[in-house]
Amino acid sequence: MSTLIETFAAVPATSRLGQALQARAEIFRLSEAAHDAVIVPRDPGGLSHALRAALAARMCRLLGDAALVGHYESYLAHSNDLDVATLAHPGGSSGDVRHDAMARHTDLLTLAPRKATRGDITALKEAGISEADIVRLSELAAFVNYQQRVIAGVRLLKQVATS
Amino acid sequence: MSEAIHQFTATVPTWSPYVTPVDLATATPEQLAAMKVTPSNKGVSPYVLTLAHDPESLEVRSPLFNLIMYGKDGLPSAERELGAVGASIVNRCVYCAAVHASRFIGLTRQTDVIAEIFAAERNARLEPRQQALFDFAAKLSTTPSEVGAADAQALADAGLSELEQLDLVLSAAIFGWANRLMHTLGEPRAD
């Protein structure tokens, strides 16, 4: 079974780069487990599976990765939760104070994490988001940014690979 | 009284969270397992106690991080640390930069390389192989990503094998993850 990162990077298995990916199979297996832990966790806390998929799709739009947007949109469609669907688009809001605060924070963590301060965490708390949910939200945003960069990086390596 | 640190340094600070860490005394069995707490290992950092709020993620992230940064073959350890530093400069994670700059120095004794990176940040001038590694890691870390085919070609031209190139992608990307936790959920402090 191919993992998401391997599927989206689409490296020919017989190439030297493909063999390198094979040598790192355990890393891709763990990356897939991390995906499941942030997108469809057993204990989602205050972030429903639908909200997680919507925020992931939003981040992938900010990152300009159409294939990953499609992946997370399919999770969102499967959830059938129309209330959070507007959050899947940058600038989109749902009218729910907590959800909109989470969307703003995922934008910050995707576009300019260097600008994050204590005040951003205070704002989440003031919107009524629990400390555990703040950590869950941060892991979600951090993972999606990791995953997209691995895929983007491997795609580039594939472009210049000789065989 | 300790003070927050906002400038890059190779002296490893302490890290202080903006959220209340999980209390070891009241942690759930799942949280204890994710933190790898056993009767003989009760030393848990504030960072791990903070991430234990999401034990499902923490349990997977720790082994993934260790495999990417400390795996045996492929890209030399010092060059993975350079990739980590490149990402941490872009994301301005002062704590991550300090830890991994000090590891780089421990492995190479090249204090001048870190001094140049901390002074010039993205404009650091390094010897050709380190330049290719550092620039690729930094450019992969921006949003939108600035990295392009020429940067990947520079890795090949510097003599990196496909496996080494992949290890660099992974080490820069895992710091896109680590920086987004460490820099946003707390701050480095001088004791």
Side-chain angles (χ1 to χ4, degrees):
Chain A
M1 257 315 262
S2 201
T3 62
L4 278 169
I5 288 174
E6 293 164 287
T7 301
F8 285 118
V11 176
T14 53
S15 65
R16 282 210 295 268
L17 183 58
Q19 289 164 3
L21 288 170
Q22 189 54 46
R24 296 291 178 259
E26 180 65 4
I27 285 173
F28 298 116
R29 190 191 68 75
L30 286 168
S31 299
E32 192 87 349
H35 166 275
D36 294 349
V38 297
I39 300 298
V40 288
R42 294 183 300 276
D43 174 11
L47 284 76
S48 70
H49 290 180
L51 177 62
R52 289 162 183 266
L55 294 176
R58 180 186 184 106
M59 287 186 270
C60 292
R61 285 191 165 96
L62 291 174
L63 291 162
D65 196 314
L68 271 179
V69 169
H71 168 75
Y72 289 116
E73 281 287 347
S74 75
Y75 272 67
L76 180 58
H78 185 71
S79 77
N80 219 4
D81 184 346
L82 297 178
D83 289 344
V84 299
T86 51
L87 294 172
H89 295 267
S93 60
S94 74
D96 178 297
V97 173
R98 285 176 307 122
H99 290 175
D100 291 345
M102 288 191 212
R104 277 195 300 278
H105 198 66
T106 56
D107 290 351
L108 174 68
L109 260 52
T110 301
L111 295 171
R114 61 185 290 133
K115 292 184 180 163
T117 67
R118 178 190 295 271
D120 296 300
I121 298 299
T122 305
L124 292 171
K125 291 179 186 172
E126 286 175 356
I129 299 163
S130 74
E131 294 190 311
D133 283 346
I134 290 171
V135 174
R136 293 184 179 106
L137 178 68
S138 304
E139 288 278 16
L140 170 65
F143 170 79
V144 171
N145 275 278
Y146 157 79
Q147 178 193 43
Q148 195 278 330
R149 282 173 175 80
V150 175
I151 293 168
V154 174
R155 282 182 188 138
L156 267 184
L157 301 184
K158 186 173 67 169
Q159 271 186 41
V160 302
T162 48
S163 62
Chain B
M1 209 33 215
S2 70
E3 281 183 27
I5 300 175
H6 301 293
Q7 301 303 318
F8 289 120
T9 170
T11 304
V12 179
T14 58
W15 185 83
S16 173
Y18 300 145
V19 299
T20 314
V22 167
D23 180 356
L24 210 47
T26 57
T28 66
E30 188 180 19
Q31 287 172 329
L32 293 173
M35 291 186 281
K36 303 280 178 284
V37 173
T38 61
S40 62
N41 177 28
K42 289 180 177 162
V44 186
S45 69
Y47 180 58
V48 169
L49 285 165
T50 299
L51 298 186
H53 280 298
D54 185 353
E56 289 177 65
S57 291
L58 176 61
E59 182 160 39
V60 178
R61 203 192 74 91
S62 300
L64 177 59
F65 182 93
N66 289 334
L67 262 185
I68 288 175
M69 290 307 292
Y70 311 117
K72 293 272 182 285
D73 59 340
L75 193 66
S77 292
E79 297 186 331
R80 297 182 199 210
E81 301 293 355
L82 196 58
V85 170
S88 302
I89 292 287
V90 168
N91 294 324
R92 209 158 182 92
C93 186
V94 169
Y95 186 91
C96 301
V99 169
H100 296 279
S102 73
R103 291 219 173 112
F104 175 87
I105 290 170
L107 290 162
T108 65
R109 304 288 155 203
Q110 293 176 2
T111 52
D112 54 331
V113 170
I114 295 302
E116 167 67 7
I117 290 172
F118 284 175
E121 300 187 13
R122 294 284 310 277
N123 299 318
R125 305 317 306 167
L126 309 172
E127 59 86 7
R129 180 170 165 119
Q130 289 176 343
Q131 188 82 58
L133 287 156
F134 178 78
D135 287 347
F136 187 97
K139 290 181 179 180
L140 185 65
S141 302
T142 60
T143 305
S145 169
E146 294 170 20
V147 74
D151 302 298
Q153 188 62 52
L155 296 178
D157 293 347
L160 273 78
S161 70
E162 283 78 359
L163 186 63
E164 290 176 319
Q165 294 170 31
L166 175 60
D167 287 340
L168 178 66
V169 166
L170 291 166
S171 59
I174 196 72
F175 275 82
W177 186 339
N179 295 161
R180 280 175 175 80
L181 298 174
M182 207 121 205
H183 176 60
T184 71
L185 287 170
E187 65 189 359
R189 289 187 165 269
D191 276 327

